[in-house]
Amino acid sequence: QHGHGKEALELFQQMQLGGMIPTNVTFISILSACSHSGLVDEGCRWFLSMKQDYSMIPTVEHYHCMIDLLGRAGRLEEGENLINTMPHEPTTMTWMTLLGACRMHFDVERGKRAAEHAFGLDLDNAAPYVLLSHIYASVGMWDEAAKVRKLLGSKGLKKQPGCSVIEVNNTVHEFFAGDGIHAQKEEIYA
């Protein structure tokens, strides 16, 4: 996740040379490393290798990694085609992965399609509404952004606040965006 894709692939190859057989989780790690490092061709090769060389059936999580890989690279049409042809039923996360890539690349029409699929799969999830409104706002479609935000409110949905968790001196501290209720808030916000 930190852009060390080449190092992850080298480690993976060392594992193979050492006789270790990769698992589904290994491939999720490899595909994710490729995605976060822009190693699109390598990720595509490993996805195919998983099926051809290791006779593994990719799970929906592997497909999510591939959609993320293609989406980050701006290959949104390929990502959408992968969703439409994968042997699994798309989940909310499937569509949210594509929706996030659409936001990154300002693809309004594809983002709208992805959001509509996500809306239908998870009626209580505010995230697709928020992402779609961000897409509209990022291209100056303010009226559309406002309509989506209004729809979000009319459904009684609220965006989940961001959360960070840290451990200091063996004590775990949770911080939520805008909560101001942490026991040491005076010191934190000073």
Side-chain angles (χ1 to χ4, degrees):
Q1 278 187 315
H2 303 293
H4 298 291
K6 288 192 186 295
E7 292 89 341
L9 291 176
E10 288 171 12
L11 182 60
F12 178 58
Q13 289 169 340
Q14 289 175 9
M15 289 171 55
Q16 288 178 300
L17 291 173
M20 297 189 77
I21 298 171
T23 65
N24 279 329
V25 174
T26 308
F27 278 105
I28 288 172
S29 298
I30 289 301
L31 296 173
S32 182
C34 290
S35 178
H36 288 269
S37 300
L39 302 173
V40 181
D41 292 337
E42 291 87 340
C44 291
R45 276 196 299 274
W46 283 115
F47 184 71
L48 290 175
S49 174
M50 179 183 180
K51 296 187 278 188
Q52 295 171 351
D53 301 332
Y54 295 96
S55 301
M56 296 174 107
I57 298 170
T59 66
V60 72
E61 289 81 10
H62 295 109
Y63 280 92
H64 292 167
C65 289
M66 288 302 297
I67 295 160
D68 186 57
L69 174 82
L70 295 167
R72 286 175 186 266
R75 293 164 60 173
L76 302 174
E77 184 175 351
E78 289 176 70
E80 187 174 22
N81 288 340
L82 187 60
I83 292 171
N84 292 326
T85 60
M86 68 182 191
H88 304 283
E89 281 297 313
T91 65
T92 303
M93 183 56 68
T94 309
W95 292 109
M96 289 297 296
T97 303
L98 182 63
L99 184 57
C102 291
R103 179 181 180 208
M104 184 185 307
H105 295 285
F106 312 105
D107 189 332
V108 175
E109 289 307 312
R110 196 176 319 276
K112 185 176 175 185
R113 283 195 303 274
E116 288 171 354
H117 283 289
F119 297 155
L121 290 170
D122 189 353
L123 302 176
D124 298 326
N125 189 349
Y129 295 92
V130 173
L131 277 174
L132 182 59
S133 73
H134 286 190
I135 291 171
Y136 285 139
S138 69
V139 296
M141 297 175 70
W142 302 111
D143 290 342
E144 293 300 319
K147 285 179 192 173
V148 173
R149 287 289 188 164
K150 186 175 181 180
L151 183 60
L152 177 70
S154 73
K155 292 183 176 289
L157 301 175
K158 293 185 180 180
K159 181 182 177 209
Q160 294 293 333
C163 175
S164 295
V165 180
I166 62 170
E167 183 177 339
V168 178
N169 297 330
N170 295 325
T171 302
V172 175
H173 299 271
E174 268 188 324
F175 301 91
F176 291 90
D179 70 357
I181 60 171
H182 191 275
Q184 295 173 297
K185 70 180 179 184
E186 299 300 324
E187 296 167 38
I188 294 168
Y189 296 108

